[in-house]
């Protein structure tokens, strides 16, 4: 068996960006969490971020996903986290008990969300 006959298993998760939460205080003092989905970037999202993060001892119940365009260098908009995950179903490459993996979306696909 030669060197070139060996097949390496490619893990679809390997080169994915793990969405990082950012927290923002609203005018009423409540805090919401947000993660970004950037055009062309394969991204891992927590299925239930509300059970993983606390700010000032309180669990964050409001979550959003910001849709970011690299083509236009701007934010297209934002969606409620749960609503966005439902709309992303056709673009999911893989999932496990905690995460979903979304393929990189085009600008038009982001706009359609």
């Amino acid at each position: 068996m030669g060197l070139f006959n060996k097949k390496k298993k490619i893990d679809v998760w390997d080169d994915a960006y793990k969405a990082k939460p950012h927290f923002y205080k609203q005018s009423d003092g409540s805090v919401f969490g947000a993660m970004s989905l950037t055009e062309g970037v394969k991204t891992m999202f927590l299925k239930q971020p509300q059970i993983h993060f606390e700010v000032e001892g309180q669990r964050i119940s409001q979550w959003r996903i910001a849709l970011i365009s690299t083509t236009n260098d701007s934010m297209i908009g934002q969606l409620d986290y749960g609503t966005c995950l439902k709309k992303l179903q056709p673009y999911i490459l893989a999932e496990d008990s905690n995460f979903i993996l979304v393929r990189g979306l085009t600008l038009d696909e982001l706009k359609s969300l």
Side-chain angles (χ1 to χ4, degrees):
M1 208 182 259
L3 176 66
F4 297 104
N5 292 336
K6 294 181 181 179
K7 292 183 180 179
K8 182 181 177 190
K9 184 178 177 184
I10 298 173
D11 187 346
V12 72
W13 297 88
D14 279 348
D15 60 347
Y17 172 75
K18 187 174 180 180
K20 294 176 178 66
H22 298 276
F23 301 98
Y24 304 93
K25 193 169 271 195
Q26 301 181 95
S27 59
D28 66 359
S30 64
V31 176
F32 73 90
M35 296 185 201
S36 296
L37 177 59
T38 301
E39 176 185 350
V41 178
K42 184 167 50 169
T43 307
M44 295 169 54
F45 287 101
L46 280 165
K47 289 182 175 180
Q48 297 179 317
Q50 65 275 13
I51 65 172
H52 294 277
F53 298 100
E54 290 183 357
V55 173
E56 299 173 357
Q58 293 186 320
R59 290 209 184 263
I60 306 301
S61 60
Q62 291 185 355
W63 286 89
R64 301 177 189 163
I65 294 180
L67 308 174
I68 308 297
S69 167
T70 54
T71 301
N72 298 332
D73 194 26
S74 66
M75 184 170 81
I76 296 169
Q78 57 182 312
L79 293 168
D80 170 75
Y81 198 92
T83 301
C84 191
L85 290 187
K86 287 177 187 169
K87 290 183 176 214
L88 289 171
Q89 288 297 311
Y91 309 111
I92 293 176
L93 296 173
E95 64 182 292
D96 65 16
S97 59
N98 292 312
F99 290 94
I100 63 165
L101 177 63
V102 177
R103 72 167 173 79
L105 274 62
T106 66
L107 177 58
D108 287 338
E109 288 170 332
L110 283 176
K111 286 180 176 180
S112 75
L113 294 175

